[in-house]
């Protein structure tokens, strides 16, 4: 099963992707999560990606394609993957077609999650993450339990201004993928 989740930042790709990965028994490949781990670990990848991420810009395609190839080589991904946050440009989508074709794999479906911009800004301004578990909460809709409430953090790129910029990048670079 190879499935792409397409949708603006905050549309729910991460949440639905985790549920689907569990249901379908294939790993979720979330490029944003992989990048955030690399930033936290201070690896070369993290150093390269950080300034783009903090500014709400896309990380260059060659960097992203390298990490997707590697993630697909993992044993757990032999029978498929749920792609969350990838592909994000037509160039990445074309490259994914080639990567899958080279290995005799095929894409089963693309799910486009459509959410109005106002709802997205509201979701993301209240979004908090538990750095210990990666669990994602929302201050109003899914408040963190008391035991973790003190340690949840806001993603640096979830400030209102950066969210607006990420939405503009989505419209310009990623929305054309629906047509593609
Ligand atoms: P969201 O979907 O909420 O924007 P992600 O965790 O998918 O969040 O991505 C966070 C940031 O990581 C993006 O703003 C971008 O800088 C970078 N990123 C993640 N995936 C990609 C990708 N496929 N191509 C380019 N940049 C990416």
């Amino acid at each position: 099963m190879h499935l792409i989740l397409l949708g603006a930042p905050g549309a729910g790709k991460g949440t639905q992707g985790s549920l689907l990965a569990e249901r379908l028994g294939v790993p979720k490949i979330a490029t944003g999560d992989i990048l955030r781990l690399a930033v936290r670990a201070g690896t070369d990848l993290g150093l390269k990606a950080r300034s783009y991420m903090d500014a709400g810009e896309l990380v260059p395609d060659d960097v992203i394609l390298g990490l997707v190839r590697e993630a697909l080589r993992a044993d757990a991904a032999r029978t498929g993957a749920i792609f969350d946050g990838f592909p994000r440009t037509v160039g990445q989508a074309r490259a994914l077609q080639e990567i899958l074709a080279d290995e005799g794999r095929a894409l089963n479906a693309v799910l486009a999650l459509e959410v109005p911009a106002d709802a997205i800004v509201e979701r993301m301004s209240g979004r908090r993450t538990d750095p210990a578990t990666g669990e994602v909460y929302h201050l109003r809709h899914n408040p963190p339990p008391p035991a973790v409430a003190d340690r949840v953090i806001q993603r640096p790129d979830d400030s209102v201004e950066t969210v607006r910029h990420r939405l503009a990048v989505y419209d310009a670079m990623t929305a054309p993928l629906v047509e593609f």
Side-chain angles (χ1 to χ4, degrees), residues 7-11 13 30-33 35-36 49 52-61 64 68 84-89 92 124 127 155 157-158 166:
K13 302 183 298 294
T31 43
D33 288 350
L35 293 170
R36 273 184 293 279
Y52 296 99
M53 297 175 77
D54 284 349
E57 299 287 350
L58 295 183
V59 173
D61 283 358
I64 298 292
V68 167
D84 159 10
F86 171 89
R88 242 174 165 96
T89 62
Q92 290 180 13
M124 295 180 70
R127 176 156 80 173
R155 260 171 56 176
D157 58 345
D158 272 356
R166 286 160 62 202

PDB file of all heavy atoms in Angstrom, residues 7-11 13 30-33 35-36 49 52-61 64 68 84-89 92 124 127 155 157-158 166, ligand 1:
ATOM      1  N   GLY A   7      -2.340  17.921   1.513  1.00  0.00           N
ATOM      2  CA  GLY A   7      -3.179  18.891   2.212  1.00  0.00           C
ATOM      3  C   GLY A   7      -2.316  19.976   2.805  1.00  0.00           C
ATOM      4  O   GLY A   7      -1.122  19.776   3.046  1.00  0.00           O
ATOM      5  N   ALA A   8      -2.941  21.122   3.048  1.00  0.00           N
ATOM      6  CA  ALA A   8      -2.217  22.271   3.583  1.00  0.00           C
ATOM      7  C   ALA A   8      -1.654  21.942   4.965  1.00  0.00           C
ATOM      8  O   ALA A   8      -2.105  20.990   5.610  1.00  0.00           O
ATOM      9  CB  ALA A   8      -3.164  23.470   3.677  1.00  0.00           C
ATOM     10  N   PRO A   9      -0.671  22.728   5.422  1.00  0.00           N
ATOM     11  CA  PRO A   9      -0.213  22.585   6.805  1.00  0.00           C
ATOM     12  C   PRO A   9      -1.427  22.649   7.738  1.00  0.00           C
ATOM     13  O   PRO A   9      -2.292  23.500   7.554  1.00  0.00           O
ATOM     14  CB  PRO A   9       0.678  23.808   7.024  1.00  0.00           C
ATOM     15  CG  PRO A   9       1.090  24.252   5.663  1.00  0.00           C
ATOM     16  CD  PRO A   9      -0.001  23.830   4.722  1.00  0.00           C
ATOM     17  N   GLY A  10      -1.492  21.760   8.700  1.00  0.00           N
ATOM     18  CA  GLY A  10      -2.593  21.806   9.652  1.00  0.00           C
ATOM     19  C   GLY A  10      -3.869  21.150   9.172  1.00  0.00           C
ATOM     20  O   GLY A  10      -4.885  21.146   9.868  1.00  0.00           O
ATOM     21  N   ALA A  11      -3.867  20.537   7.991  1.00  0.00           N
ATOM     22  CA  ALA A  11      -5.092  19.910   7.477  1.00  0.00           C
ATOM     23  C   ALA A  11      -5.399  18.604   8.208  1.00  0.00           C
ATOM     24  O   ALA A  11      -6.531  18.126   8.180  1.00  0.00           O
ATOM     25  CB  ALA A  11      -4.971  19.660   5.974  1.00  0.00           C
ATOM     26  N   LYS A  13      -2.892  15.833   8.136  1.00  0.00           N
ATOM     27  CA  LYS A  13      -2.150  14.728   7.504  1.00  0.00           C
ATOM     28  C   LYS A  13      -1.451  13.856   8.558  1.00  0.00           C
ATOM     29  O   LYS A  13      -1.473  12.630   8.457  1.00  0.00           O
ATOM     30  CB  LYS A  13      -1.084  15.271   6.536  1.00  0.00           C
ATOM     31  CG  LYS A  13      -1.627  16.151   5.432  1.00  0.00           C
ATOM     32  CD  LYS A  13      -0.532  16.588   4.472  1.00  0.00           C
ATOM     33  CE  LYS A  13       0.582  17.425   5.124  1.00  0.00           C
ATOM     34  NZ  LYS A  13       0.131  18.753   5.625  1.00  0.00           N
ATOM     35  N   ALA A  30       6.936  10.734   7.211  1.00  0.00           N
ATOM     36  CA  ALA A  30       6.583  12.156   7.346  1.00  0.00           C
ATOM     37  C   ALA A  30       7.869  12.964   7.241  1.00  0.00           C
ATOM     38  O   ALA A  30       8.682  12.972   8.174  1.00  0.00           O
ATOM     39  CB  ALA A  30       5.884  12.408   8.674  1.00  0.00           C
ATOM     40  N   THR A  31       8.080  13.611   6.099  1.00  0.00           N
ATOM     41  CA  THR A  31       9.350  14.308   5.882  1.00  0.00           C
ATOM     42  C   THR A  31       9.576  15.399   6.934  1.00  0.00           C
ATOM     43  O   THR A  31      10.702  15.600   7.390  1.00  0.00           O
ATOM     44  CB  THR A  31       9.419  14.880   4.450  1.00  0.00           C
ATOM     45  OG1 THR A  31       8.170  15.481   4.121  1.00  0.00           O
ATOM     46  CG2 THR A  31       9.720  13.780   3.452  1.00  0.00           C
ATOM     47  N   GLY A  32       8.502  16.087   7.340  1.00  0.00           N
ATOM     48  CA  GLY A  32       8.642  17.127   8.365  1.00  0.00           C
ATOM     49  C   GLY A  32       9.146  16.543   9.681  1.00  0.00           C
ATOM     50  O   GLY A  32      10.012  17.127  10.343  1.00  0.00           O
ATOM     51  N   ASP A  33       8.623  15.374  10.074  1.00  0.00           N
ATOM     52  CA  ASP A  33       9.057  14.730  11.323  1.00  0.00           C
ATOM     53  C   ASP A  33      10.529  14.325  11.229  1.00  0.00           C
ATOM     54  O   ASP A  33      11.296  14.507  12.180  1.00  0.00           O
ATOM     55  CB  ASP A  33       8.225  13.465  11.605  1.00  0.00           C
ATOM     56  CG  ASP A  33       6.795  13.793  12.030  1.00  0.00           C
ATOM     57  OD1 ASP A  33       6.502  14.984  12.281  1.00  0.00           O
ATOM     58  OD2 ASP A  33       5.976  12.856  12.107  1.00  0.00           O
ATOM     59  N   LEU A  35      12.811  15.652   9.366  1.00  0.00           N
ATOM     60  CA  LEU A  35      13.631  16.868   9.399  1.00  0.00           C
ATOM     61  C   LEU A  35      13.744  17.426  10.809  1.00  0.00           C
ATOM     62  O   LEU A  35      14.819  17.834  11.248  1.00  0.00           O
ATOM     63  CB  LEU A  35      13.050  17.931   8.457  1.00  0.00           C
ATOM     64  CG  LEU A  35      13.113  17.612   6.956  1.00  0.00           C
ATOM     65  CD1 LEU A  35      12.284  18.614   6.162  1.00  0.00           C
ATOM     66  CD2 LEU A  35      14.553  17.608   6.462  1.00  0.00           C
ATOM     67  N   ARG A  36      12.613  17.440  11.544  1.00  0.00           N
ATOM     68  CA  ARG A  36      12.657  17.978  12.914  1.00  0.00           C
ATOM     69  C   ARG A  36      13.576  17.145  13.806  1.00  0.00           C
ATOM     70  O   ARG A  36      14.308  17.683  14.635  1.00  0.00           O
ATOM     71  CB  ARG A  36      11.242  18.058  13.515  1.00  0.00           C
ATOM     72  CG  ARG A  36      10.534  19.372  13.184  1.00  0.00           C
ATOM     73  CD  ARG A  36       9.178  19.481  13.866  1.00  0.00           C
ATOM     74  NE  ARG A  36       8.237  18.510  13.355  1.00  0.00           N
ATOM     75  CZ  ARG A  36       7.549  18.663  12.219  1.00  0.00           C
ATOM     76  NH1 ARG A  36       7.683  19.750  11.502  1.00  0.00           N
ATOM     77  NH2 ARG A  36       6.705  17.740  11.816  1.00  0.00           N
ATOM     78  N   ALA A  49      18.606  21.949   6.849  1.00  0.00           N
ATOM     79  CA  ALA A  49      17.154  22.156   6.747  1.00  0.00           C
ATOM     80  C   ALA A  49      16.629  23.294   7.618  1.00  0.00           C
ATOM     81  O   ALA A  49      15.628  23.932   7.296  1.00  0.00           O
ATOM     82  CB  ALA A  49      16.429  20.855   7.117  1.00  0.00           C
ATOM     83  N   TYR A  52      15.441  26.922   6.414  1.00  0.00           N
ATOM     84  CA  TYR A  52      14.249  26.860   5.552  1.00  0.00           C
ATOM     85  C   TYR A  52      13.005  26.640   6.404  1.00  0.00           C
ATOM     86  O   TYR A  52      11.973  27.283   6.213  1.00  0.00           O
ATOM     87  CB  TYR A  52      14.355  25.703   4.553  1.00  0.00           C
ATOM     88  CG  TYR A  52      15.477  25.834   3.559  1.00  0.00           C
ATOM     89  CD1 TYR A  52      16.680  25.168   3.747  1.00  0.00           C
ATOM     90  CD2 TYR A  52      15.323  26.622   2.415  1.00  0.00           C
ATOM     91  CE1 TYR A  52      17.713  25.276   2.825  1.00  0.00           C
ATOM     92  CE2 TYR A  52      16.356  26.740   1.489  1.00  0.00           C
ATOM     93  CZ  TYR A  52      17.547  26.054   1.701  1.00  0.00           C
ATOM     94  OH  TYR A  52      18.562  26.159   0.795  1.00  0.00           O
ATOM     95  N   MET A  53      13.095  25.693   7.318  1.00  0.00           N
ATOM     96  CA  MET A  53      11.926  25.331   8.122  1.00  0.00           C
ATOM     97  C   MET A  53      11.472  26.496   8.984  1.00  0.00           C
ATOM     98  O   MET A  53      10.285  26.807   9.063  1.00  0.00           O
ATOM     99  CB  MET A  53      12.239  24.123   8.998  1.00  0.00           C
ATOM    100  CG  MET A  53      12.543  22.894   8.166  1.00  0.00           C
ATOM    101  SD  MET A  53      13.037  21.513   9.180  1.00  0.00           S
ATOM    102  CE  MET A  53      11.441  20.980   9.813  1.00  0.00           C
ATOM    103  N   ASP A  54      12.426  27.152   9.652  1.00  0.00           N
ATOM    104  CA  ASP A  54      12.058  28.261  10.529  1.00  0.00           C
ATOM    105  C   ASP A  54      11.399  29.385   9.749  1.00  0.00           C
ATOM    106  O   ASP A  54      10.554  30.112  10.267  1.00  0.00           O
ATOM    107  CB  ASP A  54      13.292  28.785  11.278  1.00  0.00           C
ATOM    108  CG  ASP A  54      13.697  27.845  12.410  1.00  0.00           C
ATOM    109  OD1 ASP A  54      12.901  26.931  12.711  1.00  0.00           O
ATOM    110  OD2 ASP A  54      14.797  28.016  12.974  1.00  0.00           O
ATOM    111  N   ALA A  55      11.788  29.539   8.476  1.00  0.00           N
ATOM    112  CA  ALA A  55      11.208  30.614   7.662  1.00  0.00           C
ATOM    113  C   ALA A  55       9.915  30.167   6.973  1.00  0.00           C
ATOM    114  O   ALA A  55       9.268  30.963   6.299  1.00  0.00           O
ATOM    115  CB  ALA A  55      12.224  31.055   6.613  1.00  0.00           C
ATOM    116  N   GLY A  56       9.543  28.893   7.121  1.00  0.00           N
ATOM    117  CA  GLY A  56       8.331  28.408   6.457  1.00  0.00           C
ATOM    118  C   GLY A  56       8.528  28.164   4.971  1.00  0.00           C
ATOM    119  O   GLY A  56       7.576  28.071   4.209  1.00  0.00           O
ATOM    120  N   GLU A  57       9.803  28.049   4.552  1.00  0.00           N
ATOM    121  CA  GLU A  57      10.111  27.770   3.137  1.00  0.00           C
ATOM    122  C   GLU A  57      10.305  26.275   2.941  1.00  0.00           C
ATOM    123  O   GLU A  57      10.553  25.545   3.898  1.00  0.00           O
ATOM    124  CB  GLU A  57      11.418  28.479   2.739  1.00  0.00           C
ATOM    125  CG  GLU A  57      11.397  29.989   2.860  1.00  0.00           C
ATOM    126  CD  GLU A  57      10.555  30.654   1.780  1.00  0.00           C
ATOM    127  OE1 GLU A  57      10.143  29.957   0.829  1.00  0.00           O
ATOM    128  OE2 GLU A  57      10.295  31.867   1.903  1.00  0.00           O
ATOM    129  N   LEU A  58      10.248  25.831   1.682  1.00  0.00           N
ATOM    130  CA  LEU A  58      10.480  24.424   1.400  1.00  0.00           C
ATOM    131  C   LEU A  58      11.974  24.112   1.436  1.00  0.00           C
ATOM    132  O   LEU A  58      12.793  24.892   0.954  1.00  0.00           O
ATOM    133  CB  LEU A  58       9.922  24.049   0.024  1.00  0.00           C
ATOM    134  CG  LEU A  58       8.407  24.135  -0.133  1.00  0.00           C
ATOM    135  CD1 LEU A  58       8.013  23.655  -1.530  1.00  0.00           C
ATOM    136  CD2 LEU A  58       7.689  23.324   0.934  1.00  0.00           C
ATOM    137  N   VAL A  59      12.299  22.972   1.999  1.00  0.00           N
ATOM    138  CA  VAL A  59      13.667  22.459   1.960  1.00  0.00           C
ATOM    139  C   VAL A  59      13.919  21.970   0.521  1.00  0.00           C
ATOM    140  O   VAL A  59      13.011  21.409  -0.104  1.00  0.00           O
ATOM    141  CB  VAL A  59      13.804  21.309   2.991  1.00  0.00           C
ATOM    142  CG1 VAL A  59      15.150  20.620   2.889  1.00  0.00           C
ATOM    143  CG2 VAL A  59      13.568  21.847   4.405  1.00  0.00           C
ATOM    144  N   PRO A  60      15.132  22.188  -0.027  1.00  0.00           N
ATOM    145  CA  PRO A  60      15.382  21.830  -1.426  1.00  0.00           C
ATOM    146  C   PRO A  60      15.068  20.356  -1.752  1.00  0.00           C
ATOM    147  O   PRO A  60      15.288  19.475  -0.929  1.00  0.00           O
ATOM    148  CB  PRO A  60      16.874  22.122  -1.609  1.00  0.00           C
ATOM    149  CG  PRO A  60      17.199  23.146  -0.571  1.00  0.00           C
ATOM    150  CD  PRO A  60      16.290  22.864   0.587  1.00  0.00           C
ATOM    151  N   ASP A  61      14.573  20.138  -2.978  1.00  0.00           N
ATOM    152  CA  ASP A  61      14.125  18.808  -3.403  1.00  0.00           C
ATOM    153  C   ASP A  61      15.198  17.727  -3.235  1.00  0.00           C
ATOM    154  O   ASP A  61      14.889  16.614  -2.826  1.00  0.00           O
ATOM    155  CB  ASP A  61      13.686  18.834  -4.881  1.00  0.00           C
ATOM    156  CG  ASP A  61      12.301  19.470  -5.064  1.00  0.00           C
ATOM    157  OD1 ASP A  61      11.675  19.844  -4.051  1.00  0.00           O
ATOM    158  OD2 ASP A  61      11.853  19.576  -6.217  1.00  0.00           O
ATOM    159  N   ILE A  64      15.303  16.443   0.270  1.00  0.00           N
ATOM    160  CA  ILE A  64      14.094  15.674   0.599  1.00  0.00           C
ATOM    161  C   ILE A  64      14.123  14.304  -0.074  1.00  0.00           C
ATOM    162  O   ILE A  64      13.814  13.286   0.544  1.00  0.00           O
ATOM    163  CB  ILE A  64      12.838  16.449   0.129  1.00  0.00           C
ATOM    164  CG1 ILE A  64      12.737  17.796   0.858  1.00  0.00           C
ATOM    165  CG2 ILE A  64      11.581  15.616   0.328  1.00  0.00           C
ATOM    166  CD1 ILE A  64      12.459  17.699   2.320  1.00  0.00           C
ATOM    167  N   VAL A  68      13.801  10.493   1.576  1.00  0.00           N
ATOM    168  CA  VAL A  68      12.681   9.597   1.231  1.00  0.00           C
ATOM    169  C   VAL A  68      13.217   8.260   0.703  1.00  0.00           C
ATOM    170  O   VAL A  68      12.734   7.193   1.085  1.00  0.00           O
ATOM    171  CB  VAL A  68      11.742  10.251   0.197  1.00  0.00           C
ATOM    172  CG1 VAL A  68      10.773   9.228  -0.392  1.00  0.00           C
ATOM    173  CG2 VAL A  68      10.968  11.398   0.847  1.00  0.00           C
ATOM    174  N   ASP A  84       3.366  11.501   4.273  1.00  0.00           N
ATOM    175  CA  ASP A  84       2.737  12.653   4.939  1.00  0.00           C
ATOM    176  C   ASP A  84       3.666  13.858   4.749  1.00  0.00           C
ATOM    177  O   ASP A  84       4.775  13.871   5.261  1.00  0.00           O
ATOM    178  CB  ASP A  84       2.551  12.298   6.422  1.00  0.00           C
ATOM    179  CG  ASP A  84       2.383  13.515   7.335  1.00  0.00           C
ATOM    180  OD1 ASP A  84       2.226  14.650   6.832  1.00  0.00           O
ATOM    181  OD2 ASP A  84       2.416  13.324   8.565  1.00  0.00           O
ATOM    182  N   GLY A  85       3.205  14.842   3.977  1.00  0.00           N
ATOM    183  CA  GLY A  85       4.031  16.033   3.756  1.00  0.00           C
ATOM    184  C   GLY A  85       5.000  15.873   2.602  1.00  0.00           C
ATOM    185  O   GLY A  85       5.883  16.706   2.399  1.00  0.00           O
ATOM    186  N   PHE A  86       4.864  14.816   1.855  1.00  0.00           N
ATOM    187  CA  PHE A  86       5.680  14.536   0.677  1.00  0.00           C
ATOM    188  C   PHE A  86       4.815  13.789  -0.322  1.00  0.00           C
ATOM    189  O   PHE A  86       4.090  12.887   0.098  1.00  0.00           O
ATOM    190  CB  PHE A  86       6.893  13.691   1.049  1.00  0.00           C
ATOM    191  CG  PHE A  86       7.659  13.192  -0.161  1.00  0.00           C
ATOM    192  CD1 PHE A  86       8.673  13.954  -0.715  1.00  0.00           C
ATOM    193  CD2 PHE A  86       7.334  11.969  -0.764  1.00  0.00           C
ATOM    194  CE1 PHE A  86       9.360  13.518  -1.835  1.00  0.00           C
ATOM    195  CE2 PHE A  86       8.015  11.536  -1.890  1.00  0.00           C
ATOM    196  CZ  PHE A  86       9.026  12.308  -2.420  1.00  0.00           C
ATOM    197  N   PRO A  87       4.862  14.059  -1.605  1.00  0.00           N
ATOM    198  CA  PRO A  87       5.593  15.146  -2.257  1.00  0.00           C
ATOM    199  C   PRO A  87       4.906  16.496  -2.049  1.00  0.00           C
ATOM    200  O   PRO A  87       3.720  16.573  -1.783  1.00  0.00           O
ATOM    201  CB  PRO A  87       5.558  14.744  -3.735  1.00  0.00           C
ATOM    202  CG  PRO A  87       4.313  13.909  -3.881  1.00  0.00           C
ATOM    203  CD  PRO A  87       4.136  13.197  -2.571  1.00  0.00           C
ATOM    204  N   ARG A  88       5.695  17.543  -2.183  1.00  0.00           N
ATOM    205  CA  ARG A  88       5.216  18.899  -1.950  1.00  0.00           C
ATOM    206  C   ARG A  88       5.436  19.798  -3.156  1.00  0.00           C
ATOM    207  O   ARG A  88       5.056  20.963  -3.131  1.00  0.00           O
ATOM    208  CB  ARG A  88       6.003  19.484  -0.784  1.00  0.00           C
ATOM    209  CG  ARG A  88       5.170  19.858   0.424  1.00  0.00           C
ATOM    210  CD  ARG A  88       6.166  20.265   1.480  1.00  0.00           C
ATOM    211  NE  ARG A  88       5.617  20.971   2.580  1.00  0.00           N
ATOM    212  CZ  ARG A  88       5.268  20.402   3.735  1.00  0.00           C
ATOM    213  NH1 ARG A  88       5.337  19.115   3.895  1.00  0.00           N
ATOM    214  NH2 ARG A  88       4.849  21.156   4.715  1.00  0.00           N
ATOM    215  N   THR A  89       6.102  19.277  -4.158  1.00  0.00           N
ATOM    216  CA  THR A  89       6.283  20.024  -5.411  1.00  0.00           C
ATOM    217  C   THR A  89       6.065  19.028  -6.551  1.00  0.00           C
ATOM    218  O   THR A  89       6.157  17.812  -6.342  1.00  0.00           O
ATOM    219  CB  THR A  89       7.722  20.584  -5.552  1.00  0.00           C
ATOM    220  OG1 THR A  89       8.644  19.475  -5.582  1.00  0.00           O
ATOM    221  CG2 THR A  89       8.087  21.514  -4.409  1.00  0.00           C
ATOM    222  N   GLN A  92       9.064  16.857  -6.921  1.00  0.00           N
ATOM    223  CA  GLN A  92       9.131  15.736  -5.967  1.00  0.00           C
ATOM    224  C   GLN A  92       8.183  14.616  -6.393  1.00  0.00           C
ATOM    225  O   GLN A  92       8.502  13.425  -6.259  1.00  0.00           O
ATOM    226  CB  GLN A  92       8.770  16.200  -4.550  1.00  0.00           C
ATOM    227  CG  GLN A  92       9.809  17.096  -3.903  1.00  0.00           C
ATOM    228  CD  GLN A  92       9.418  17.531  -2.482  1.00  0.00           C
ATOM    229  OE1 GLN A  92       8.497  16.984  -1.873  1.00  0.00           O
ATOM    230  NE2 GLN A  92      10.118  18.531  -1.967  1.00  0.00           N
ATOM    231  N   MET A 124      -3.548  25.652  14.065  1.00  0.00           N
ATOM    232  CA  MET A 124      -2.104  25.678  14.251  1.00  0.00           C
ATOM    233  C   MET A 124      -1.665  26.600  15.354  1.00  0.00           C
ATOM    234  O   MET A 124      -0.647  26.358  15.992  1.00  0.00           O
ATOM    235  CB  MET A 124      -1.437  26.009  12.937  1.00  0.00           C
ATOM    236  CG  MET A 124      -1.753  24.858  12.008  1.00  0.00           C
ATOM    237  SD  MET A 124      -1.091  25.027  10.431  1.00  0.00           S
ATOM    238  CE  MET A 124       0.583  24.824  10.753  1.00  0.00           C
ATOM    239  N   ARG A 127      -1.847  24.481  18.366  1.00  0.00           N
ATOM    240  CA  ARG A 127      -1.167  23.189  18.308  1.00  0.00           C
ATOM    241  C   ARG A 127       0.041  23.166  19.241  1.00  0.00           C
ATOM    242  O   ARG A 127       0.843  24.084  19.262  1.00  0.00           O
ATOM    243  CB  ARG A 127      -0.719  22.927  16.871  1.00  0.00           C
ATOM    244  CG  ARG A 127       0.088  21.664  16.706  1.00  0.00           C
ATOM    245  CD  ARG A 127       0.032  21.128  15.308  1.00  0.00           C
ATOM    246  NE  ARG A 127       0.922  21.818  14.385  1.00  0.00           N
ATOM    247  CZ  ARG A 127       1.124  21.411  13.128  1.00  0.00           C
ATOM    248  NH1 ARG A 127       0.465  20.375  12.658  1.00  0.00           N
ATOM    249  NH2 ARG A 127       1.928  22.081  12.351  1.00  0.00           N
ATOM    250  N   ARG A 155       5.647  24.463  17.984  1.00  0.00           N
ATOM    251  CA  ARG A 155       6.647  24.397  16.916  1.00  0.00           C
ATOM    252  C   ARG A 155       7.059  25.809  16.521  1.00  0.00           C
ATOM    253  O   ARG A 155       6.207  26.677  16.394  1.00  0.00           O
ATOM    254  CB  ARG A 155       6.046  23.698  15.694  1.00  0.00           C
ATOM    255  CG  ARG A 155       6.446  22.245  15.579  1.00  0.00           C
ATOM    256  CD  ARG A 155       5.673  21.522  14.508  1.00  0.00           C
ATOM    257  NE  ARG A 155       5.775  22.141  13.190  1.00  0.00           N
ATOM    258  CZ  ARG A 155       5.237  21.615  12.088  1.00  0.00           C
ATOM    259  NH1 ARG A 155       4.578  20.482  12.168  1.00  0.00           N
ATOM    260  NH2 ARG A 155       5.353  22.213  10.925  1.00  0.00           N
ATOM    261  N   ASP A 157       7.759  27.089  13.825  1.00  0.00           N
ATOM    262  CA  ASP A 157       7.141  27.596  12.587  1.00  0.00           C
ATOM    263  C   ASP A 157       5.622  27.661  12.684  1.00  0.00           C
ATOM    264  O   ASP A 157       4.951  27.865  11.690  1.00  0.00           O
ATOM    265  CB  ASP A 157       7.589  26.761  11.376  1.00  0.00           C
ATOM    266  CG  ASP A 157       7.250  25.280  11.513  1.00  0.00           C
ATOM    267  OD1 ASP A 157       6.932  24.840  12.642  1.00  0.00           O
ATOM    268  OD2 ASP A 157       7.292  24.578  10.488  1.00  0.00           O
ATOM    269  N   ASP A 158       5.051  27.503  13.888  1.00  0.00           N
ATOM    270  CA  ASP A 158       3.600  27.606  14.053  1.00  0.00           C
ATOM    271  C   ASP A 158       3.147  28.987  14.519  1.00  0.00           C
ATOM    272  O   ASP A 158       2.001  29.158  14.924  1.00  0.00           O
ATOM    273  CB  ASP A 158       3.092  26.541  15.042  1.00  0.00           C
ATOM    274  CG  ASP A 158       2.757  25.222  14.342  1.00  0.00           C
ATOM    275  OD1 ASP A 158       2.845  25.169  13.101  1.00  0.00           O
ATOM    276  OD2 ASP A 158       2.397  24.253  15.036  1.00  0.00           O
ATOM    277  N   ARG A 166       3.512  29.758   5.255  1.00  0.00           N
ATOM    278  CA  ARG A 166       3.482  28.351   4.833  1.00  0.00           C
ATOM    279  C   ARG A 166       2.255  28.069   3.971  1.00  0.00           C
ATOM    280  O   ARG A 166       2.329  27.280   3.024  1.00  0.00           O
ATOM    281  CB  ARG A 166       3.519  27.441   6.063  1.00  0.00           C
ATOM    282  CG  ARG A 166       4.912  27.400   6.694  1.00  0.00           C
ATOM    283  CD  ARG A 166       4.878  26.931   8.129  1.00  0.00           C
ATOM    284  NE  ARG A 166       4.383  25.575   8.268  1.00  0.00           N
ATOM    285  CZ  ARG A 166       3.869  25.085   9.399  1.00  0.00           C
ATOM    286  NH1 ARG A 166       3.796  25.847  10.464  1.00  0.00           N
ATOM    287  NH2 ARG A 166       3.464  23.845   9.442  1.00  0.00           N
TER     288      ARG A 166
HETATM  289  P1  LIG B   1       3.107  21.046   7.849  1.00  0.00           P
HETATM  290  O1  LIG B   1       2.454  20.050   6.929  1.00  0.00           O
HETATM  291  O2  LIG B   1       2.347  21.300   9.097  1.00  0.00           O
HETATM  292  O3  LIG B   1       3.569  22.302   7.145  1.00  0.00           O
HETATM  293  P2  LIG B   1       5.564  19.483   8.016  1.00  0.00           P
HETATM  294  O4  LIG B   1       6.001  18.888   9.297  1.00  0.00           O
HETATM  295  O5  LIG B   1       5.101  18.574   6.917  1.00  0.00           O
HETATM  296  O6  LIG B   1       4.454  20.509   8.442  1.00  0.00           O
HETATM  297  O7  LIG B   1       6.749  20.396   7.421  1.00  0.00           O
HETATM  298  C1  LIG B   1       7.429  21.344   8.192  1.00  0.00           C
HETATM  299  C2  LIG B   1       8.494  22.004   7.357  1.00  0.00           C
HETATM  300  O8  LIG B   1       9.444  21.022   6.938  1.00  0.00           O
HETATM  301  C3  LIG B   1       8.015  22.652   6.054  1.00  0.00           C
HETATM  302  O9  LIG B   1       7.548  23.971   6.261  1.00  0.00           O
HETATM  303  C4  LIG B   1       9.272  22.598   5.202  1.00  0.00           C
HETATM  304  O10 LIG B   1      10.195  23.606   5.581  1.00  0.00           O
HETATM  305  C5  LIG B   1       9.877  21.270   5.594  1.00  0.00           C
HETATM  306  N1  LIG B   1       9.395  20.148   4.747  1.00  0.00           N
HETATM  307  C6  LIG B   1       8.717  19.044   5.154  1.00  0.00           C
HETATM  308  N2  LIG B   1       8.459  18.226   4.120  1.00  0.00           N
HETATM  309  C7  LIG B   1       8.969  18.811   3.016  1.00  0.00           C
HETATM  310  C8  LIG B   1       9.012  18.473   1.626  1.00  0.00           C
HETATM  311  N3  LIG B   1       8.455  17.338   1.168  1.00  0.00           N
HETATM  312  N4  LIG B   1       9.626  19.339   0.780  1.00  0.00           N
HETATM  313  C9  LIG B   1      10.204  20.475   1.218  1.00  0.00           C
HETATM  314  N5  LIG B   1      10.184  20.859   2.496  1.00  0.00           N
HETATM  315  C10 LIG B   1       9.580  20.044   3.412  1.00  0.00           C
END
